[in-house]
Amino acid sequence: MATETLLPLELIDKCVGSQIWVIMNSGKEFTGKLLGFDDYVNMVLTDVTEIDPAEGNTQLPKILLNGNHICMMVPGGDATEVLEDE
């Protein structure tokens, strides 16, 4: 049985141009279209929604996220759908 090996940066590279859900170490969450990233996983997202249950959502045209502060990424994820289900 053949198994495909997929490295983390390869997975992120496959997500460029797609929707992604990013959860930061601070608890902040962002969803948007991944425009690009570097070897440190610093990311540029467009059409961004910053999700903050306490203060409400904020729309941003473009944002740069520091890779050192990223806790988790969900390719194709949309946090607003998850929050609506709760």
Side-chain angles (χ1 to χ4, degrees):
M1 177 153 107
T3 59
E4 181 182 338
T5 301
L6 186 64
L7 298 173
L9 289 179
E10 292 174 344
L11 176 62
I12 297 168
D13 189 47
K14 289 178 182 273
C15 296
V16 172
S18 300
Q19 188 76 10
I20 192 164
W21 174 16
V22 182
I23 301 170
M24 306 300 285
N25 291 335
S26 66
K28 286 190 177 189
E29 299 180 18
F30 299 91
T31 60
K33 184 177 175 183
L34 178 61
L35 232 141
F37 69 99
D38 64 9
D39 289 339
Y40 301 101
V41 195
N42 297 315
M43 302 182 144
V44 178
L45 303 179
T46 59
D47 301 324
V48 180
T49 302
E50 179 181 354
I51 299 148
D52 187 345
E55 297 181 20
N57 296 349
T58 305
Q59 296 297 125
L60 304 164
K62 193 180 286 187
I63 192 169
L64 170 66
L65 298 176
N66 184 325
N68 286 331
H69 300 286
I70 294 175
C71 176
M72 183 171 63
M73 297 176 287
V74 182
D78 188 357
T80 55
E81 290 177 8
V82 173
L83 294 174
E84 288 173 1
D85 292 341
E86 292 180 352

